[in-house]
Every structure is written in C-alpha cells, then in structure tokens.
Amino acid sequence: MKQTQSCADSLQQARLARYSPGSIKASARYLWPLAALMLLLAVNLLLDASFFQLSFQDGRLYGSLIDILNRSAPVALLAIGMSLVIATGGIDLSVGAVMAIAGAVCANLLLQTELPLALVIAAGLATGIAAGLINGTLVSYLKIQPIVATLLLMVAGRGVAQLINQGQIVTFLRPDFAWLGTGSWLGLPLPIWLVIGMFALSQLLLRRTALGLFIEAVGCNATASRYLGVNDKAIKLFVYAFAGFCAALAGMISAADIQGSDANNAGLWLELDAILAVVIGGAVLSGGRFSLLLSVIGVLIIQSLSTTIIVSGVPAKFNLLIKALVVLLVLLLQSDKFRRQLSSWLPKLRKWRKGDKA
Amino acid sequence: MTTPSLVLELKQVCKHFPGVKALQDVDLRLFAGEVHALLGENGAGKSTLVKVMTGALAKSSGDIYFNGQNCSFASPAAAQQAGISTVYQEVNLLPNLSVAQNLFLGHEPRRFGLIQHQKMQQQAQQLLLRFKLNIDVTAPLAQYSVAVQQLIAIARGVAMSAKVLVLDEPTASLDSSEVQMLFDVMRQLREQGVAIVFITHFLDQVYQISDRITVLRNGSKVGEYLAADLPRSRLIEAMLGKELQQLTHQAATTTPAVAEPLLVLNNIAVKGSISGVSLTVAQGQAVGLAGLLGSGRTEVCRAVYGVDALSQGEIQFGGKTLRLQQPADAIKAGIALCPEERKTEGIIGPLSIRENIMLALQARRGWWRYLPVKQQQQLAAFYIDKLQIATPDADKPIEQLSGGNQQKVILARWLAINPQLLILDEPTRGIDIGAHAEILLLIKSLCQQGMSLLVTSSELEELVAFAGKVVVLRDRQKVTELSGDTMTAPHIMQAIAEG
Ligand SMILES: Nc1ncnc2c1ncn2[C@@H]1O[C@H](COP(=O)(O)OP(=O)(O)OP(=O)(O)O)[C@@H](O)[C@H]1O
Ligand SMILES: [Mg+2]
C-alpha cells in the first residue's frame, strides 16, 4: 500500500514538473498599445518642448495633453460602446449617424421648447437607445449581418437627422446645455469627466456582474453559449442598445460644443475612428475578449497621432497617409506572427552587417 | 518477408508551449506497411506529436527524417505534398462548402485549369461508398452529424494518403460497424505499403488493428512495443505509470419500481428528423439511447433540450407540459445537455477553464448575481481534481487543453449545475481509460442521489454498465426498449440491426 502511494506521488511530481505555471500573463496585452502611446507622446515632446506643460487659468487646466483628452471624448464614448459590439462579433457603422440624430433631437427641443435640461438629455439618450434597439433587432432577431444592418441606419440616420433639422443647421442658446461640451469641473473639461464617468459605470456594469463574461462568451462561440443557457439574442440586443446610448452621449457633447446641430457633419466618419481604436486596442473583429481600457488607449493613440502630425508641420496633404501608416505599424507590432518574423530577421541583419565589416 | 523500410523517423523531438513542456525528447519510428498505435493518457502529447510531425506546429527542437532525409514540413500542405495525409483530432473541414468540395479541396479534378464539378461529385460518391456512406455530396457539410463529418474527414485523408496516413482519434464518435469499415480500409492501405499512425483510447481497437505501439506519458516516450508482445495489463501500466484501479462494475442501477416518471416524451416529432418517439425516464433512472449513426439519438436529445422545435407531440417534465423555445427554458426547468459536438457546441475556446466550468451555473443564476471569483476558483479546483483534468492552472484558455481534457471540462460544467435530468450525448468521447471508469462512477453516484440521466453512447458496454433501460432507435424512429435481462450488448446490437 505504502509503495503504491509513493509511486502515485512520484507520478504526480513528474506531472507537475512538466508545467511551469504563471508564464502567460494577461498584462502582456497592454504592452504594445501602451508602448505605442508612450512613443507618440515622446515624439510630440521632441517636436514641441512645451507639450507636457499644463497651466491653470480661470479654474481650468489648459495644455496640449488636456486638448488631446478633450478632443478624443466623443470617439472615446463611441469606442466604449463599439468594444462591446465588436466583442460579440458584430460591428456598428451607424454610431456617427446616431450622434447626428441625438444632436438634432436635443437642438430642436432646446430651440422650440422650454423643457428642463434633464428631460432634454433624457430625450437625447432615449433616441440613441431606440436607434440601437433597431440595430440590435435587425442583427439578433432578424439575423441580418451586422455590417449590413447598421449600414442601413448609417445612411438613413443622417437623413433622419436632416429631416428633424428640416435641412437647416439648428443653433440654440442654452448655456446649461452648452456646459456639457464647453464647461469644466474640478479643473477638467466636462467631456473628459463624461468619458471617465461612462467608463467607470460601464466597467462596474460589465465586470461586477456577469454581463461582460456573457458578452465575451457569445462573441467566442454563440452556439455553445446558447447551449449553456445564455440568451445570445438578448445579449446582442443589449450591446447595440448600449452602443446607441454611448453614441447619443457623444452626439450631445458635439452639439453642446458648437451649440447647434449640423446634421451633415456631426459625427461624420467617427464610427471608423471608433472601430480603428478598438482594433488598435487589440480586439479581434470576429469577437471575443474585450477591454474598455485598451479601446480608450486606442482612441488616445489616434488622437495623439493627429496632434503629432499637425505639430510636426508636415504639409496637410500627407496627414491621412501618415495616419494610415502609423496605424498599420501599431497593428503589425501587435501581431505575434509579425514580431516573430521581425526577431528572426534581426540576427540575420546583424550577421549581414558583420559580414559587411569583415 | 523483407524487412520493412523506415518511412518516418522522429528523433529527440521537443515541443514547448509557454508553461507546458508538451513533448520532451520523443522518438518515433514508422515503417512502411504497418499500423502504428500512438497511445497515452489525455494530455500525454499524442496530438501535439502528430501536429509537429505533419507541420501543423513548429517543433522546438529535434529532427524529423522522412525517407531517410532530414526535413521538417512548414505546413500540413507541405506534408501532404510529400505524401503524408492527416486527419486531426478536431475535424478541420469547411462547414459551408459541399461534401464533395471538402473531399477534394486543393486537388480538385481539373481540365484546362477548370474544376470538373461532375467528375468531382462522382468521385466523391465513390469514395464515400467505401465507407458505406450514401449521402448527397452536393449538400453543405454542416448538415451532417459529427460522426458523418468524421468519416468524411477520414475519407479525405484516405483518398490522398500516398505514403503515410495519420489518424488522430478517428473512432471517437463512430459505432462499432463504422469502426470495422474503417479497419477494413486501413488493412487495404497497409497491404499497399502505407504506414498508418493510429491514435485511440479504445484498447480493444488497438489490439485488433495495430502492429506496433508507442506509448507516451507526460510528454515523454515510455517505450515502443510490438503489439503481439505486449499484454494488455502491461500496456495500461505503461500508459498510466501504475496499475489501473479495479473499479468493481456493479450491476446497473436498479430503480425503485414506484419511481415517479420525470420525463415523458409523448410521440414527439421534429420536422425533417425524428418522428413518433415516445419514452419515459423515471426519477433517478438512467436511460440509454442506442442506434447507428444517423438513427436520431442526437436529435432526440436536442428536441428535449429545446434546440429544435417540435412539430408534433409533447414533452412532459415533472408532470407539467414543457414549451421549449430555447435551451435556456430547458435549463430553467431542470434539464441539462452535454452536447456531442465539443468544438462547436461545447467549448468556448478563448475563455479560461474556470469560466468554461462556471458559465452554465452563472447563466442559471442570471447576469446580475455574479458568482464571486473565489467561489469560481473553488468550483474549478474541485472538478480539476475530481475529473483529473491535466492543466497547470484553471485560468488557461480551454482551447489549449488536449481534446480529452476539454471533454472533462464540459462534463464538469454540467455536473456543477446539478440538474434534475442530465442528457449526456457521448459523454466519454475521447476520454482516456484512467479517467473513464472514474467518470462513469461519478455519473452513477449522481444517479443514486436522484438525478435522472438520458445517455447516448456508441459504446454499448458503457450503456449497459449504467443504464437501467435502453431505448433503441433506427431511421429516426423508436424501435424497441430493452431492460432487465434482455439488456445486454449483443441483444442491443441485434435490435439495432434488425429492429
Ligand atoms: N496551443 C497550446 N498551448 C498550450 N498548451 C498546449 C497547446 N496545445 C496543447 N497543449 C498542452 O500540451 C499537452 C499535450 O496535449 P495533446 O493535445 O498533445 O494531448 P493528447 O495526448 O492528444 O491528449 P488527448 O487524448 O486528450 O487528445 C497538454 O497538457 C496541453 O494542455
Ligand atoms: Mg489529442
């Protein structure tokens, strides 16, 4: 008996010797996006020595960093919503148009009625959720492919916004609403606070409940999720509604910023920036794990890049090209395959240089 | 007889994944015209060895000699070119393409560079007839069951095998008659001088077909033996590193005569599949479903679980009529299904083992009441220990586990929610002999505690071992019910064959 015991023990030890736990770190995912962001900021510093300088005037912080944060607010909100949609394996092309609709709804309410601020905001958010529910229904219950379903609203949504505005640019004079886009609190511009608030709330909602896990499960394998009792359709409906909510909030910030609603230009092409940000954050379009933090880092990378290009004084016509190239580089650095290829080239390169010298 | 020539030789091959030494200094010799069984526990490294050998994974170190030349294949396609065709453990076909396209993908019959569809379909039909599979080759592959897909994958491998054919657990979801068909084909190939690598957990099959055996344990080679010289007990010892604990096979669980019926299927039918199936499962009873491939076993399970809508009949559960729209409804009522298709319906690949175990429990609790991480860890640790899941930690993605270990995790998922009725569709698919008996015992004890079971298995012995009653299906209809003394493997076999 004793002998079999020790035999089992040695077997167990042989088994354990094969494994060295803890060698795969989740934090590795954060490495490349963070490195890219740091690098961009460093380049900015080289180009402009005052880049990190902050000044405090009239109870508000000013500086390039604050500008970057403030300007990225709408896209950051979109990216938070987009992260969840992409995590389920979907995509939402309509968020830019939803921004325009929400802005138009708010602008017209502000211009034509005396509704209190809270109700106007609520109406704007409700518009976003409604738009998201339409997308979600098309995708989950009618089984239309996400890219097609949301393309409908992307095209039609801007038309709806134009109808609401009756083809005009609607401007309003309501300092309380304008405060959403231009005000500040505790030294920071309000849009930044809105992003922080939305981020924290989403994080609580997703990670303190099982919602985040369900979203990831559906994204990884919808059939298996349904088999184990997750209502995959309801989950999909939720993420589109959530993305609609985020888009509406972003739309209200832009409307408040210019104190008006321009149906043609509000949120134009921002859906693409949001998708790009999520992808730069390391998400795969086929669905799976998501990280809101990484998506927001992706937004900051895009925004800092735009700033860098402007500051560097490169002729404006090169802007888009440079942006595309840098984004490509970030994406390549994230790919294991590319990095492996790179590291296999390096020794060859060294050898080649040595051979050169000899 | 001339000495057979060495076709493929692996020397000191290592494969390390982050955190796991999957293979360490493994040697393998493969001779022309032999069937070489590769054996070992779940996670021993068999599939990894196959993948390294055929270019699906890059080796960490070591040498591979093919026809005496040192070479390593960059991809499975390269290995294919050289004459090594492989059927991997997880069937690797394209579900949306037709059966014929899947069979000939990459080497379609062509004329003037254009694919000859007619010819391809004819050839496909002929090829499948070798496996007595008379199906529509123009239909998309996804329409067919795992077992059929498995046969199609094998047929593809066979059609292309020039020098070496590698089969990783080809018989895991096949019935005995299909296994015999496969063996016939393998014997023909062996005659033609093809070297065959064969992986399985069924030792009977090993002794039926193989000439040589290599045993792996914990990523290292234990030894190479001639099948004829290696008694079964020594083989088991080589695989497990110890003797198999003799688990006394008790008689089938006898259900008390007065047990209340829990599940009653009243003449149910599903459009395009099963029709007129009635059966009863009593409280604490284990009922087996037997039948050939395509007989409707899986379809019955799916209907009871709310995956497919009924077109006729009704399902009563605990005295109430169930209206099932989706699996969540069945789970709410107290029914759980451990599905047959591990890859598409079972595992959620990128998620961790812990999450894969707790998800069903969480889904039943609802999204709001998140199971505390501490409890999740306890749950995972409990089942990792109980089912002998080979993994360094519970936070590893499940897709990095070996096939058999994935199966154990899926089983743990359903045991964790402790349902009233547990439907097990091929529960021990791909599980090694060490864990097999353990799992059967666990299921049995659950049954004794009052859980009812509906089990399908292509292993009749397994069914007989713990079912109190066996329902035989043929052509998507119920043929007969066997229980008591008539419930023996030969009887069931006969009923399956003749009805
Ligand atoms: N991609 C991977 N990443 C990390 N570890 C892996 C990966 N693939 C396999 N492993 C590990 O390598 C070991 C051997 O796995 P392998 O699939 O070869 O086992 P197997 O002998 O085929 O088992 P089974 O009988 O269950 O199919 C296991 O411990 C597994 O967890
Ligand atoms: Mg395997």
Side-chain angles (χ1 to χ4, degrees), chain B residues 46-48 89 168-169 199 402-404:
Chain B
K46 305 177 296 292
S47 299
T48 308
Q89 187 171 11
D168 192 351
E169 298 198 28
I199 299 178
S402 76

Side-chain angles (χ1 to χ4, degrees), chain A residues 7 11 14-15 18-20 23 207-210 213-214 217 220-221 223-229 231 289, chain B residues 18-19 21-22 41 43 218 240 302 305 307 327 331 343-345 347-348 351 355 358 362-363 367 370 413-414:
Chain A
C7 163
L11 258 180
R15 252 168 225 157
R18 197 172 164 211
Y19 301 129
S20 50
S23 45
R207 296 304 185 191
R208 285 304 168 92
T209 70
L213 183 59
F214 286 175
C220 294
N221 188 340
T223 315
S225 303
R226 186 163 61 247
Y227 266 68
L228 57 77
N231 189 338
R289 295 275 193 201
Chain B
K21 292 175 184 148
E41 288 177 292
N218 288 326
L240 304 185
R302 287 163 60 98
Y305 196 52
V307 180
I331 293 176
K343 196 173 171 191
T344 54
E345 294 170 353
I347 66 164
I348 300 188
L351 296 193
E355 286 162 326
M358 60 75 78
Q362 183 65 62
W367 65 275
Y370 189 42
R413 170 192 293 168
W414 296 112

